[in-house]
Amino acid sequence: MKIKATLLDQIRKHGEATYPEECCGLLLGKSGPDGNRVLALYPVENRHAEQRERRYTIAPSDYLAAERAARRQGLDVVGFYHSHPDHPARPSATDLAEATFPGYTYVIVAVHQGRAGELTAWHLSPDRTRFEPETIEIEPESASVDQT
Amino acid sequence: MRTTTATVTIRIPTPLRGFTNNQETVEVSGATVGEALQQLVEQFPRLKPHLFNDEGRLRSFVNIYVGDEDIRYLQREATPLKPGAELSIVPSVAGGGL
């Protein structure tokens, strides 16, 4: 995926703000043959009913609202992000079991003792058996939506 | 008796547009949500395994909305459709550190 450093910082800050609970949100941008380009974030509340230190849920109604917000900006929902408080930034068994469609980018930020650390990106393999790592390409802050 | 079939629009999530010739929306006709989805996967068979499991039921993380309403709180796949209705395919996104 391609993303600006300021957006990655916003993900880290969201993870620190909700620590020790997991944060979550949607990645808005453009999807192309060479991967996803993230141009905006849509932070949402972690709607998991309990154990939010270990689990997150994005409510379908929040997804729908994010999709509509994206469309107003000429963008699409291209993925999701969440934090792993005091756990590595790698997809867990739960992440795999709950995975949706291949093609979305899943960003994970590790937050150790309240401080954001490693940040990684993944996508579900086409056969749904595993998450594959995605490279994170930092875009210049001046990059505009039209420069695809 | 003649059944009325409404022409409705189905919004396709970004990662699935590769299976719909990059169409963001697909128009189908169907009197119910189930009929509309059936038409969708008949038109685009490669969509089917992403929406339905091997038993032909909607995958657990796939939610279908008619406008702002989740069909789980209506009549599920038997939910009747009015002409011009907009259906959205909405994934339940979840996971966690452990």
Side-chain angles (χ1 to χ4, degrees):
Chain A
M1 72 160 178
K2 294 179 184 172
I3 189 167
K4 291 175 187 174
T6 45
L7 293 178
L8 292 179
D9 284 340
Q10 285 174 35
I11 294 174
R12 292 187 183 100
K13 286 203 166 63
H14 192 190
E16 290 177 350
T18 62
Y19 182 90
E21 296 191 350
E22 298 196 3
C23 74
C24 55
L26 297 94
L27 310 174
L28 312 187
K30 294 280 191 185
S31 187
D34 54 347
N36 291 325
R37 185 159 178 249
V38 180
L39 293 153
L41 304 178
Y42 192 94
V44 295
E45 202 178 311
N46 181 354
R47 304 280 190 173
H48 206 78
E50 52 189 7
Q51 287 197 302
R52 282 186 296 275
E53 300 82 10
R54 294 285 168 265
R55 292 279 190 278
Y56 79 98
T57 294
I58 296 176
S61 53
D62 286 339
Y63 180 100
L64 204 57
E67 190 182 65
R68 287 173 181 167
R71 215 181 309 147
R72 283 194 295 272
Q73 301 171 62
L75 305 177
D76 292 309
V77 174
V78 297
F80 315 102
Y81 70 86
H82 73 283
S83 62
H84 280 181
D86 298 316
H87 274 86
R90 304 188 63 80
S92 65
T94 307
D95 287 328
L96 186 60
E98 300 277 359
T100 60
F101 304 124
Y104 285 125
T105 297
Y106 284 78
V107 166
I108 303 176
V109 61
V111 183
H112 297 290
Q113 305 295 320
R115 292 293 300 271
E118 193 188 10
L119 187 150
T120 56
W122 309 81
H123 58 249
L124 185 65
S125 64
D127 64 3
R128 312 184 56 84
T129 58
R130 64 192 183 284
F131 270 106
E132 295 168 337
E134 261 187 43
T135 54
I136 300 175
E137 193 181 322
I138 306 292
E139 286 197 308
E141 294 301 318
S142 55
S144 75
V145 179
D146 313 316
Q147 295 175 324
T148 37
Chain B
M1 193 182 91
R2 190 169 162 271
T3 49
T4 30
T5 50
T7 300
V8 299
T9 303
I10 304 181
R11 300 203 73 88
I12 309 297
T14 325
L16 297 185
R17 290 179 200 160
F19 307 117
T20 60
N21 302 328
N22 291 318
Q23 291 180 68
E24 287 177 35
T25 59
V26 174
E27 291 210 338
V28 297
S29 55
T32 63
V33 168
E35 283 180 28
L37 292 175
Q38 205 50 50
Q39 271 224 1
L40 175 71
V41 296
E42 275 169 24
Q43 251 187 78
F44 303 104
R46 287 165 64 221
L47 265 183
K48 195 171 180 180
H50 294 284
L51 300 181
F52 294 94
N53 63 20
D54 294 342
E55 287 92 53
R57 281 200 296 271
L58 276 173
R59 286 185 178 276
S60 56
F61 66 82
V62 174
N63 307 286
I64 305 294
Y65 276 68
V66 177
D68 289 328
E69 301 285 334
D70 186 335
I71 62 164
R72 279 193 188 88
Y73 305 109
L74 300 171
Q75 296 167 56
R76 295 182 181 257
E77 285 167 76
T79 304
L81 293 174
K82 293 191 179 118
E86 186 176 87
L87 277 69
S88 297
I89 299 167
V90 180
S92 288
V93 185
L98 270 186

